[in-house]
Amino acid sequence: MAAETAVGIAAPRARLALLLLLAPALVWLVGLIVLPHLELAVLSLRARVAPRVYELSLGQYRTFIDEPLYWHTFVRTAGISILATVCTLLIAFPAAWYIAKLARGRARSVLFVLCLIPFWVSETVRTLGWMILLRESGVLPRVLVDLGITPAPIEMLYHDATILAGLVYTSLLFMVVPLVSALESLDDSLIEAAYDLGGTGWSILRQIVVPHAAPGIAAGSIVVFMLTLGNYLTPTLLGGKNSLWFTEQIYTQFITRFNWEQGAAFGFLLLVLSTAIVWLGLKLTGQHFGDVMRRS
Amino acid sequence: MIPSLPRSKLSRHAIGGYVVAFFVFLFVPLVVVAVFAFNDANYPAPPWRGFTLDWFLGGGSGRTGLFADGPLVNSVGTSVIVAAWVTMLSVFVGTANAFLLERARFRGKAALSLLMLAPLVIPGVILGISILAFASRLAQFVDDIWGLELDILRPGLPLVVAGQFSYVVSIATLTIAARLKRFDATLEEAAFNLGASRAAVLWTVTLPYLRPALVGAAAISFLMSFENFNTTLMLVGSDPPLTIMMYGRMREGASPVLNAVSLFLMVASALIALVLLRRPTRGAGG
């Protein structure tokens, strides 16, 4: 196969082998990634003037700006996604620290695998679990009543905080794994040295641990943000009709209203936001896209 | 902070308690789903009314258990068929891509390898709508030129397979390429020197070496496909896979039969996970 190019046998055969190897990759990338996204861009920039007659238009993007519901939803989705990313980092960090630094031997690998297990199960199942826990007739409101904290069961679904909690839950794995591998590579003797030199817990964390773990933190945060922004299931099920999540707007335009032009424009805006944040995150931490993806 | 430094009793208990709380948070939703699959009530909610297997075996008498629920069982079948296709395609194309990235030399390789990662940063919803739009354009084109109605390009399982494949193959490629990178090329040279043909070398030396990565990539592809929701939602036609079916039912209201099918899924993924973890597939993902 392509080893021929490496070993260096007859050139025409090597060319043929290369083409054969390239073909599936090109069919995949051109047919399923590049052309569909071009089509999406074209759709988002056209307006129907007569049956099967279209002209170039920025109308869809103007609608996005003129209609407060749309850009509110957009900003809200971005805001909650950032908040969810920060919360995920704060919640995952101590657990990752425990696994990487405090647990020993077998306990460490067992805990690590325990972290992975819930994420082998479909997001649908996990969300079902949260719905059973949180709905008015569910487990947690009942426990609160039994403990005498609330007089009657309260509805814990359909709040922004519920959406946030659900998103954090769904994202934890993608933060814990890169954090653990970043923290494992931190030499304990550096921490001991800092301690001997009079460092306190806080200053060691800030000056030694966080700078060392920065690549892992960045990789985890980028992946979590991206997945949160594009999530559909968790916000719509845990947030109900008030979820106002941007992917839901895309679905509504595309599938419910069959307004593909508008849906395509929304899709493009989401794609631009997602790409911009990923790019910014990489720039700020001076990393390469390929490395981050391979690590996560 | 670390065991070799003096730590106060308080801080030790604090982090210990935190880790316990963390794992409770991780597992509580799953435990709740599993427990209420066996509750003898028409609604998955407390209080506990006794143990029953109705939600698995029931049929007829007001309660339809998982195995009597035709549409639900069909949707599991649909998911398995879709996942099988996605797995086959992803492992095959992923292997070709791995050889392309690790063995071939050509212009534009760096750009191509970067492009191969792109599907991982495109939100699944957008992958779905872009493929939907492009397929519809193709269908229109075929209709205009040849007057053919191509159902394969309308929302339905072929498009679902295409949509899931479009990003699952990125993961398969990464997994297989990572192992091929560590392959010792002298093994192949030795086989050539001993007179083996190219095909024989590939079949008896290179592919056996890649086997753990191929198995790992297949398991991950299957799982990713089976659990995919975002992309599938946009491309699905009249026969929904399980995740879409469950989503629809969850919006309508709750029934413990969903808990039953969920428990079934948990057991199935646990089995796949066990197979994967027991193999020495270092770096094969997960």
Side-chain angles (χ1 to χ4, degrees), chain A:
Chain A
M1 297 215 135
E4 287 177 7
T5 34
V7 183
I9 312 182
R13 271 190 65 195
R15 279 276 279 280
L16 182 70
L18 179 63
L19 280 179
L20 279 178
L21 272 186
L22 259 176
L26 287 180
V27 169
W28 160 43
L29 290 171
V30 175
L32 291 175
I33 305 297
V34 175
L35 288 179
H37 284 84
L38 284 179
E39 169 69 19
L40 202 66
V42 169
L43 263 182
S44 79
L45 287 171
R46 76 179 195 186
R48 212 172 77 117
V49 287
R52 306 202 65 181
V53 181
Y54 300 94
E55 66 179 25
L56 193 68
S57 153
L58 283 173
Q60 276 79 242
Y61 293 96
R62 204 165 297 131
T63 309
F64 171 75
I65 295 165
D66 290 344
E67 184 69 61
L69 174 70
Y70 295 152
W71 63 264
H72 277 174
T73 308
F74 189 71
V75 172
R76 178 185 142 87
T77 304
I80 295 185
S81 296
I82 291 172
L83 197 60
T85 309
V86 173
C87 291
T88 309
L89 177 60
L90 293 180
I91 291 175
F93 194 90
W97 180 266
Y98 188 89
I99 293 171
K101 290 285 162 210
L102 294 174
R104 286 276 164 260
R106 204 172 157 71
R108 171 191 290 184
S109 44
V110 167
L111 284 181
F112 189 67
V113 170
L114 272 183
C115 275
L116 303 183
I117 286 175
F119 300 93
W120 282 85
V121 180
S122 154
E123 191 184 351
T124 332
V125 174
R126 287 177 268 144
T127 312
L128 178 68
W130 282 113
M131 289 174 82
I132 294 173
L133 276 170
L134 298 177
R135 70 159 65 95
E136 199 179 347
S137 59
V139 177
L140 216 57
R142 167 70 62 138
V143 169
L144 288 182
V145 171
D146 288 350
L147 291 176
I149 296 174
T150 53
I154 47 168
E155 179 61 88
M156 297 174 84
L157 279 182
Y158 316 128
H159 301 294
D160 286 357
T162 320
I163 300 180
L164 189 65
L167 290 170
V168 168
Y169 179 79
T170 312
S171 310
L172 277 173
L173 169 81
F174 302 96
M175 193 63 96
V176 169
V177 172
L179 281 183
V180 167
S181 64
L183 289 174
E184 267 180 343
S185 66
L186 172 62
D187 193 341
D188 280 2
S189 58
L190 286 175
I191 299 173
E192 288 161 5
Y195 181 79
D196 292 341
L197 292 169
T200 60
W202 176 244
S203 68
I204 294 175
L205 185 70
R206 228 187 46 216
Q207 295 176 5
I208 310 285
V209 178
V210 170
H212 179 86
I217 294 175
S221 302
I222 288 171
V223 172
V224 167
F225 179 81
M226 217 169 61
L227 292 176
T228 310
L229 197 65
N231 200 321
Y232 181 93
L233 196 68
T234 301
T236 48
L237 284 176
L238 296 183
K241 291 194 171 61
N242 309 321
S243 63
L244 291 177
W245 205 253
F246 202 67
T247 48
E248 211 184 350
Q249 294 286 352
I250 297 176
Y251 180 84
T252 308
Q253 296 296 343
F254 239 85
I255 310 290
T256 318
R257 296 201 191 152
F258 219 66
N259 185 350
W260 283 20
E261 285 79 9
Q262 192 64 59
F266 285 174
F268 238 80
L269 286 164
L270 191 72
L271 188 60
V272 167
L273 176 65
S274 172
T275 314
I277 298 275
V278 171
W279 182 81
L280 200 72
L282 292 175
K283 272 276 162 273
L284 285 178
T285 53
Q287 295 196 72
H288 291 289
F289 174 63
D291 302 341
V292 171
M293 283 299 119
R294 274 179 204 107
R295 202 170 299 135
S296 50

Side-chain angles (χ1 to χ4, degrees), chain A residues 28 91 97 120 169 192 230, chain B residues 1 4 18 26 166 223 227 230:
Chain A
W28 160 43
I91 291 175
W97 180 266
W120 282 85
Y169 179 79
E192 288 161 5
Chain B
M1 293 187 84
S4 55
Y18 181 86
L26 281 190
S166 73
L223 212 69
E227 298 183 352
N230 287 352

